[in-house]
Amino acid sequence: MIAGFCALCVAELVAAAVRPEAGPVTAVGGAVIDRTPPALKDFAVRNFGTNDKLVLQLGILVLLAVFAMAVGVLALRHRLLGSAAVLVFGVVGAVAATTRPEGGPGDALPSVVGAVVAAGVLYLLIGRLIRVPGPSPAAGETGRGTPVSFDRRGFMIAATAAAAASAGAGLVGRRLTASVQAGASASRAEIVLPVPDSAAPAVPRGADLGIRGVSSFITSNKSFYRVDTALVVPQVDADRWRLRIHGKGVARPLTVTFRDLLAREIIERDITLTCVSNEVGGPYVGNARWIGVRLADLLREAGVKPPSRGGPADQIVSRSVDGMTIGTPVEDVMDGRDALLALGMNGEPLPFAHGFPVRMLVPGLYGYVSACKWIRDIELTTFDDYDAYWVKRSWSRRGPIKTESRIDTPRPFASPKAGTVPVAGVAWAQHRGIDRVEVRVDGGEWHRARLGTEDSRDTWRQWVWEWPATSGNHTLEVRATDRTGATQTGKRVGTVPNGATGWHSVVVKVP
Ligand SMILES: Nc1nc2c(c(=O)[nH]1)N[C@H]1C(S)=C(S)[C@@H](COP(=O)(O)O)O[C@H]1N2
Ligand SMILES: [Mo]
């Protein structure tokens, strides 16, 4: 285990020099995420929520500890073989790191150097543990087995020295990584967000009904859900950021910088973002005030035509600095809706976790088919020619957001007092708009809820229904109707492949 610890610390230092994402735990974790079957991913999201990444990394560390002990036992028998076994882990880490989407040959270094150092440390330490002939048994004693004595002192000194030196290396590595991040943070701190040329109208009074327990109309950056595959949040320096637009039917390929974007027409919009992995009643939905540039304008400048006007490409594939690929219909982006290259969120530059410096956002589409964070490349292609990351993992090519509604209050298994109880929550059907929300109790009649004032059809709406609660156990259910007149289906389906359906229900016990 000491040798394993040395490996991770040394790898941390080397990764700081190469790329933080190339560290073995991060690389193996990323590779595991990429290969996780949808059912397991779903399980992880359901049970660990946004802590799924922490659980994954702890899992890897626990596995490593177990393997380290096994290798240690092996090394006691065969000193050389044990050390060789350590190298196998180096190879696993190196393969994982170099085969990540953004990985290069240099990414093998942290794992390889870490493993070589660990093999050496193990060899050295085992040398202090090898059985050495002890003094012969005193006369009269019938010693059984081989008398042994360990070089206890030598072992302790070597082990402590190796562990201390490695910890030092690891700390230096952390420092180095932090200083790179400081550069990105400084570039973020320097940004002065422009005043939008087309400001979003003030959120109408009455959009927020002010009911306790209901998600606030605008979700703060701090409480905005986060869903991505990045074990290390990419730290991009805005001054070095570039976005390339190219591909099929792109008459004039473009490369834009962050400054270029700031100099363009800036629009501000309220848009509710939702994750396809959100269970009925789940938390992966949030509403923010974004600023950015219209993606359609940029595409038109590049000479892109939507399929309806004869353009050869029907899919935009956006790529992030961490190798995510997201496929979005060209038609949706160019049909007049406010598809954004967003650079601000609720009055500040995008937080790193939400895609700094620039991300995509398309009202009406789930995040996995529209909301590429840390974007660096836009390629025009066709759905026939290319499947993006989640599509390769059995999710649908197209992901329009389904009409959904959620009861925020009362909470499940709450015990509100008999009398008037506000049943309230949010409902969303981005780019169509919510027209009606209804609540029923114990499978009875549907009652129309009062809706918060609509901000835009790209945002969610709060709703409330005053329930004359009587004592007993009750089941509350909600359903929404969007502006096309379609009412949410009560049929329960899971999140894979294109979003969950069903009515959210909450059971309460009125005393
Ligand atoms: N680079 C990158 N962008 C990404 C993802 C990702 O894993 N990597 N996840 C997508 C998904 S599935 C969703 S729902 C949204 C979530 O955005 P948020 O974390 O800002 O809420 O980002 C999208 N953009
Ligand atoms: Mo998502």
Side-chain angles (χ1 to χ4, degrees):
M1 283 191 61
I2 289 166
F5 175 74
C6 293
L8 292 183
C9 289
V10 169
E12 180 91 23
L13 176 61
V14 181
V18 180
R19 221 163 62 93
E21 296 85 343
V25 175
T26 307
V28 170
V32 170
I33 290 175
D34 287 351
R35 285 166 185 75
T36 301
L40 183 59
K41 179 202 163 243
D42 232 42
F43 171 85
V45 168
R46 215 174 21 252
N47 290 284
F48 308 127
T50 311
N51 290 325
D52 53 353
K53 293 189 184 99
L54 187 64
V55 172
L56 172 65
Q57 299 195 72
L58 287 177
I60 290 173
L61 288 178
V62 169
L63 264 185
L64 269 179
V66 170
F67 281 125
M69 289 188 277
V71 169
V73 171
L74 172 70
L76 275 175
R77 307 255 150 78
H78 310 276
R79 196 174 171 193
L80 260 178
L81 208 59
S83 290
V86 174
L87 297 179
V88 173
F89 290 95
V91 172
V92 171
V95 169
T98 50
T99 54
R100 309 275 15 255
E102 300 294 295
D107 288 5
L109 273 180
S111 297
V112 169
V113 176
V116 168
V117 168
V121 167
L122 182 64
Y123 190 81
L124 206 123
L125 293 182
I126 292 293
R128 303 284 173 282
L129 285 180
I130 295 296
R131 289 153 190 249
V132 291
S136 5
E141 276 182 35
T142 51
R144 286 218 171 161
T146 327
V148 294
S149 86
F150 297 134
D151 178 4
R152 225 176 263 277
R153 228 177 97 82
F155 178 82
M156 289 310 282
I157 290 172
T160 310
S166 306
L171 285 178
V172 171
R174 279 277 155 91
R175 274 286 170 82
L176 281 176
T177 304
S179 73
V180 170
Q181 293 172 347
S185 295
S187 81
R188 183 172 182 274
E190 276 164 21
I191 291 169
V192 180
L193 286 182
V195 176
D197 300 288
S198 156
V203 173
R205 275 162 52 112
D208 207 312
L209 296 169
I211 294 164
R212 258 182 72 166
V214 175
S215 319
S216 64
F217 181 75
I218 294 280
T219 314
S220 70
N221 291 355
K222 223 174 68 223
S223 48
F224 208 94
Y225 81 93
R226 176 185 162 206
V227 170
D228 57 56
T229 59
L231 282 173
V232 173
V233 174
Q235 308 280 324
V236 181
D237 187 326
D239 300 324
R240 291 199 209 135
W241 177 84
R242 298 278 182 284
L243 172 69
R244 206 159 81 90
I245 301 181
H246 62 107
K248 239 192 192 111
V250 182
R252 295 172 293 279
L254 293 175
T255 300
V256 291
T257 65
F258 194 75
R259 260 169 205 281
D260 293 339
L261 290 189
L262 290 181
R264 298 181 63 91
E265 188 193 349
I266 299 283
I267 65 173
E268 177 186 53
R269 295 292 181 263
D270 298 340
I271 298 170
T272 300
L273 180 61
T274 313
C275 182
V276 71
S277 292
N278 194 46
E279 303 277 336
V280 170
Y284 302 138
V285 53
N287 181 43
R289 175 156 284 204
W290 311 87
I291 70 164
V293 305
R294 273 196 203 90
L295 179 54
D297 290 351
L298 265 174
L299 292 180
R300 266 189 295 274
E301 260 177 57
V304 175
K305 285 197 186 115
S308 60
R309 299 195 39 229
D314 62 0
Q315 178 176 222
I316 292 169
V317 172
S318 45
R319 281 193 177 75
S320 68
V321 300
D322 63 328
M324 172 53 63
T325 55
I326 285 183
T328 312
V330 177
E331 199 64 54
D332 291 350
V333 169
M334 300 188 79
D335 71 358
R337 72 182 81 188
D338 294 313
L340 296 182
L341 283 178
L343 37 89
M345 179 179 186
N346 290 331
E348 15 167 331
L350 290 180
F352 285 104
H354 296 289
F356 182 82
V358 180
R359 74 175 305 167
M360 232 172 94
L361 273 183
V362 183
L365 304 183
Y366 284 122
Y368 87 106
V369 288
S370 67
C372 189
K373 303 195 272 190
W374 315 293
I375 193 171
R376 64 162 183 79
D377 188 279
I378 283 181
E379 182 181 356
L380 277 289
T381 178
T382 62
F383 279 102
D384 281 345
D385 282 347
Y386 187 79
D387 283 338
Y389 184 92
W390 290 112
V391 176
K392 290 192 185 110
R393 290 163 179 79
S394 69
W395 297 78
S396 300
R397 292 206 171 85
R398 312 264 178 164
I401 294 174
K402 297 178 180 177
T403 303
E404 270 297 330
S405 48
R406 185 180 75 195
I407 299 170
D408 285 350
T409 182
R411 308 289 304 159
F413 310 115
S415 323
K417 283 203 207 77
T420 304
V421 173
V423 178
V426 284
W428 60 90
Q430 289 92 311
H431 212 57
R432 298 184 297 280
I434 289 288
D435 263 0
R436 187 165 71 228
V437 172
E438 296 158 296
V439 182
R440 69 175 183 181
V441 185
D442 301 328
E445 303 253 295
W446 287 103
H447 304 276
R448 218 162 156 149
R450 178 162 65 88
L451 290 176
T453 312
E454 182 174 81
D455 179 8
S456 89
R457 57 197 172 115
D458 295 334
T459 53
W460 61 11
R461 281 179 95 164
Q462 295 188 352
W463 55 267
V464 58
W465 176 64
E466 312 277 341
W467 172 37
T470 54
S471 66
N473 290 334
H474 298 288
T475 304
L476 303 164
E477 284 174 294
V478 65
R479 69 176 187 191
T481 302
D482 67 23
R483 197 144 306 149
T484 71
T487 298
Q488 228 182 292
T489 169
K491 194 177 157 216
R492 282 248 167 191
V493 305
T495 56
V496 191
N498 53 24
T501 65
W503 299 325
H504 187 212
S505 69
V506 164
V507 174
V508 295
K509 183 180 186 142
V510 180

